[in-house]
Amino acid sequence: MKNLSLLFSFLLIACSGSSPIVSKLPTDNTNQEKAIETINFAKQEDVVQTLKFLTLDENLGREAGTKQMDNVAAYLEDVFKKNNVPPYFKTYKDTLSNFRWPAYNVVGYIEGNDAKLKNEFVVIGAHYDHIGQLKGDDIVNGDDIANGANDNASGTTAVTEVVKYFAKYKTNKRSIIFVFFSAEEKGLLGSKHLAKKLKEQNLNLYFMFNYEMIGVKMNREDMLLYITGFGKSNMAQKMNEYAGENLIGYIPAETQYQLFRASDNYPFYTEFEVPAQTVSTFDFENFKFYHEPDDEFELMDTKHMTNVVNKTIPVLEKMINASSKEIQLK
Ligand SMILES: [Zn+2]
């Protein structure tokens, strides 16, 4: 998530007396366990492996434009290659036109299997960059690397698992463009660049769906995820209908901090004027280390992350395959 520092420093003070992070494990769901037996959804061990790589100290906090990001981009490219997902453009790397240093979105594509609907597209993404190395007072106990496990190695990992699912089963009627965005932390630069480029190419975009900070469970049972721009479209309602349960909800922080404008969904909304929204489980109370060096792998609840992926995949499938564009702006 791009910088919310002014608002957030107030919140940190307000929250500093709260108890340490307690992550409740997801409740067992017999139906889902049955589904896992027959359909190969994400495995926790794969989530752990990807998250571990993205948060390595040697990536130096994944700052857009640094040479360490070449290695991270190559890893994400490999996810596409290993799963036989071709690039959407000539190469997987989509070089940003609006940033002074070399930076790339990594973009893959799975064509829809329906002769008509495949001309309509959905974009599923997450930003893989973070804020890099810190200086001065921001260094904590000698640690100057902001590993960005929650923000947003967690969302990036989720997208890798969604890629693997649709690559394996190819159940999507509409075409899917998968994007790992760069330079989100520099002001949504990767998504601004790409949304503009796709709009110029007259892409027929149905919706954009973005994962952001899903590494720690919210301390509530009435929803698994909240969505930004809840009131902008019927996406949450449709997702809950497709899920057959209350998966997605509204939290007041979403409007209070204008989170709809704080991540890579936003440029797709402004360019295309279609539903373009972010799901998250960071509610400003369940994680204290936003944009700090302590946003580390060890604090992530990978069982929760796996649950988020496995709950959203079947819903995304229904969203992508609906016979008409059921998700609409209000
Ligand atoms: Zn951020």
Side-chain angles (χ1 to χ4, degrees), residues 226-237:
Y226 72 89
I227 196 165
T228 70
F230 182 91
K232 291 252 182 315
S233 83
N234 63 348
M235 191 184 283
Q237 288 86 346

Side-chain angles (χ1 to χ4, degrees), residues 181-223:
F181 293 102
S182 190
E184 192 267 3
E185 301 287 4
K186 305 290 184 190
L188 316 182
L189 297 185
S191 52
K192 281 178 183 166
H193 156 85
L194 183 62
K196 190 162 176 267
K197 181 167 160 180
L198 292 173
K199 181 66 185 174
E200 282 166 5
Q201 297 177 2
N202 277 319
L203 186 84
N204 183 348
L205 182 66
Y206 173 23
F207 65 81
M208 190 277 184
F209 187 85
N210 190 46
Y211 288 92
E212 172 85 88
M213 300 186 74
I214 53 127
V216 179
K217 192 182 182 297
M218 294 190 283
N219 286 315
R220 57 194 302 161
E221 302 301 328
D222 57 335
M223 67 179 86

Side-chain angles (χ1 to χ4, degrees), residues 1-4 127 129-131 151-152 184-185 212-213 290-291:
M1 198 180 287
K2 77 171 181 177
N3 212 336
L4 305 165
H127 77 89
D129 69 304
H130 192 55
I131 57 173
D151 184 11
N152 186 29
E184 192 267 3
E185 301 287 4
E212 172 85 88
M213 300 186 74
Y290 170 80
H291 283 201

Side-chain angles (χ1 to χ4, degrees), residues 1-4 184 187-188 191-192 212 228-229 232 254-255 257-267 269-270 276-278:
M1 198 180 287
K2 77 171 181 177
N3 212 336
L4 305 165
E184 192 267 3
L188 316 182
S191 52
K192 281 178 183 166
E212 172 85 88
T228 70
K232 291 252 182 315
E254 184 262 298
T255 34
Y257 303 116
Q258 302 194 42
L259 300 183
F260 181 64
R261 299 170 176 223
S263 192
D264 292 316
N265 59 288
Y266 188 61
Y269 170 75
T270 56
Q277 290 168 262
T278 291

Side-chain angles (χ1 to χ4, degrees), residues 110-318:
I110 301 179
E111 187 177 48
N113 63 24
D114 181 277
K116 240 182 182 174
L117 289 177
K118 74 176 183 186
N119 299 313
E120 296 178 6
F121 287 74
V122 309
V123 170
I124 297 173
H127 77 89
Y128 73 98
D129 69 304
H130 192 55
I131 57 173
Q133 281 179 291
L134 303 174
K135 294 190 183 95
D137 289 346
D138 292 330
I139 297 171
V140 176
N141 297 327
D143 183 3
D144 69 342
I145 300 172
N147 302 78
N150 205 356
D151 184 11
N152 186 29
S154 66
T156 303
T157 301
V159 173
T160 64
E161 294 301 320
V162 179
V163 167
K164 289 177 200 170
Y165 173 81
F166 284 103
K168 184 167 182 190
Y169 296 103
K170 297 192 169 63
T171 48
N172 54 300
K173 292 184 179 174
R174 289 185 177 79
S175 297
I176 311 173
I177 298 175
F178 291 103
V179 189
F180 300 107
F181 293 102
S182 190
E184 192 267 3
E185 301 287 4
K186 305 290 184 190
L188 316 182
L189 297 185
S191 52
K192 281 178 183 166
H193 156 85
L194 183 62
K196 190 162 176 267
K197 181 167 160 180
L198 292 173
K199 181 66 185 174
E200 282 166 5
Q201 297 177 2
N202 277 319
L203 186 84
N204 183 348
L205 182 66
Y206 173 23
F207 65 81
M208 190 277 184
F209 187 85
N210 190 46
Y211 288 92
E212 172 85 88
M213 300 186 74
I214 53 127
V216 179
K217 192 182 182 297
M218 294 190 283
N219 286 315
R220 57 194 302 161
E221 302 301 328
D222 57 335
M223 67 179 86
L224 178 65
L225 299 142
Y226 72 89
I227 196 165
T228 70
F230 182 91
K232 291 252 182 315
S233 83
N234 63 348
M235 191 184 283
Q237 288 86 346
K238 277 288 158 193
M239 289 185 75
N240 289 334
E241 190 186 309
Y242 295 150
E245 64 177 318
N246 207 37
L247 200 61
I248 313 277
Y250 166 78
I251 65 169
E254 184 262 298
T255 34
Q256 200 176 350
Y257 303 116
Q258 302 194 42
L259 300 183
F260 181 64
R261 299 170 176 223
S263 192
D264 292 316
N265 59 288
Y266 188 61
F268 286 86
Y269 170 75
T270 56
E271 285 289 345
F272 287 91
E273 294 175 25
V274 298
Q277 290 168 262
T278 291
V279 291
S280 177
T281 64
F282 169 61
D283 65 3
F284 295 77
E285 288 168 11
N286 63 350
F287 190 69
K288 294 179 179 177
F289 306 113
Y290 170 80
H291 283 201
E292 289 192 27
D294 285 340
D295 182 359
E296 302 263 15
F297 171 82
E298 287 74 17
L299 295 180
M300 297 299 102
D301 180 347
T302 55
K303 184 162 183 177
H304 161 68
M305 288 175 59
T306 309
N307 188 41
V308 165
V309 171
N310 289 339
K311 287 279 190 181
T312 48
I313 283 175
V315 174
L316 280 169
E317 192 167 72
K318 287 181 176 156

